[in-house]
Amino acid sequence: MRIGIIGAGAMARALGSGWTKAGHEVLIGARSADAAAELAAALGAQAGTIPEAAGFGDVVVPALPVPALTEVLDATRELLVGRTVVDCTNAFAPDAAAPEGSTAFVLAEDAVAERIAAQAPGAHVVKAFNLCAAEVWQSRERTFDGRRLAVPICGDDATAVGLVATLAQDLDLHAIPAGGLHRARYLEAMSVFTVGLWFAGHDARAMFPPLEAAFAVVD
Ligand SMILES: NC(=O)c1ccc[n+]([C@@H]2O[C@H](COP(=O)([O-])OP(=O)(O)OC[C@H]3O[C@@H](n4cnc5c(N)ncnc54)[C@H](OP(=O)(O)O)[C@@H]3O)[C@@H](O)[C@H]2O)c1
């Protein structure tokens, strides 16, 4: 698959490195030509501009801070028509109500994936890869407590969701189709809530029983 990644930061590196290793053709497009070239060289990818990444392939990943999206989408929206746009973003902002000395976040915007879809009509927007830290996507560790790390995927276009599921499997992840793009906001909320628990030192995984114990009564 041909994958254009916009941005040359932590998520571009983490996702791009796994996909180049899986044999995909990746182009890193960033506003800094040096940053794009440096990351591309490290990954065995191609380097280019942001429009070149947007027009490169089947899949485009804006690996950008949410405040950068408006400007970048305005500059690339025609190029995105018909392509799968993977939204991995989280609009984290500091929680002003958090107790003194603690780190907590709220969402500065609660439905980024839907906003991207509205701003880039004709693009097939799919939410994925927003729940775990870049270090986790970069790592080879995929099984925790005997369970494979899973990636919920929300999108309206079945073909686009299928492409992203394949890309998740290529990172040795378990892909979970999780409904339409209207549900992507729940992944965004899940991320900010879970990261808050982790920052506070709580084991978010311990909140849930395994599937076989999820309901008291088996129907
Ligand atoms: N890091 C994580 O663990 C993680 C996990 C899940 C989801 N996410 C989400 O993934 C997205 C990317 O995160 P990241 O950690 O990869 O960020 P990052 O390391 O800070 O990299 C951000 C990239 O975006 C570029 N950028 C920033 N503003 C821009 C603008 N106005 N126009 C064009 N390019 C711009 C930066 O370029 P410059 O270097 O030139 O500023 C950099 O290449 C965020 O939305 C984040 O919430 C991150």
Side-chain angles (χ1 to χ4, degrees):
M1 224 180 280
R2 283 163 66 92
I3 304 165
I5 300 181
I6 303 176
M11 286 294 278
R13 178 179 295 276
L15 296 173
S17 69
W19 288 330
T20 50
K21 281 181 196 137
H24 295 295
E25 212 181 320
V26 173
L27 186 146
I28 304 290
R31 61 181 173 179
S32 155
D34 286 348
E38 199 177 303
L39 180 56
L43 302 184
Q46 298 172 55
T49 61
I50 289 174
E52 282 167 348
F56 181 66
D58 323 274
V59 173
V60 185
V61 185
L64 298 167
V66 170
L69 287 173
T70 298
E71 179 192 338
V72 169
L73 291 171
D74 279 350
T76 58
R77 72 160 62 85
E78 281 92 18
L79 292 162
L80 299 176
V81 173
R83 299 184 206 277
T84 296
V85 173
V86 183
D87 172 30
C88 68
T89 68
N90 288 310
F92 284 13
D95 182 354
E100 183 84 23
S102 66
T103 306
F105 304 97
V106 290
L107 290 180
E109 185 179 337
D110 58 9
V112 178
E114 289 169 74
R115 194 254 289 186
I116 294 172
Q119 219 187 322
H124 306 305
V125 180
V126 175
K127 188 98 198 178
F129 305 112
N130 71 311
L131 291 185
C132 293
E135 292 82 353
V136 175
W137 304 131
Q138 175 101 42
S139 164
R140 291 184 172 182
E141 188 77 53
R142 287 293 180 250
T143 305
F144 300 94
D145 301 331
R147 283 178 277 169
R148 182 165 292 263
L149 188 63
V151 182
I153 299 170
C154 292
D156 291 334
D157 184 276
T159 305
V161 168
L163 284 183
V164 179
T166 299
L167 289 176
Q169 286 152 7
D170 288 342
L171 300 178
D172 287 332
L173 298 159
H174 173 60
I176 301 179
L181 199 67
H182 63 288
R183 298 175 63 87
R185 61 176 65 206
Y186 305 147
L187 295 183
E188 296 169 23
M190 193 184 299
S191 175
V192 75
F193 194 78
T194 306
V195 169
L197 291 173
W198 285 331
F199 267 75
H202 301 296
D203 182 7
R205 195 176 173 90
M207 292 190 301
F208 299 104
L211 175 61
E212 56 276 17
F215 301 101
V217 178
V218 178
D219 347 272

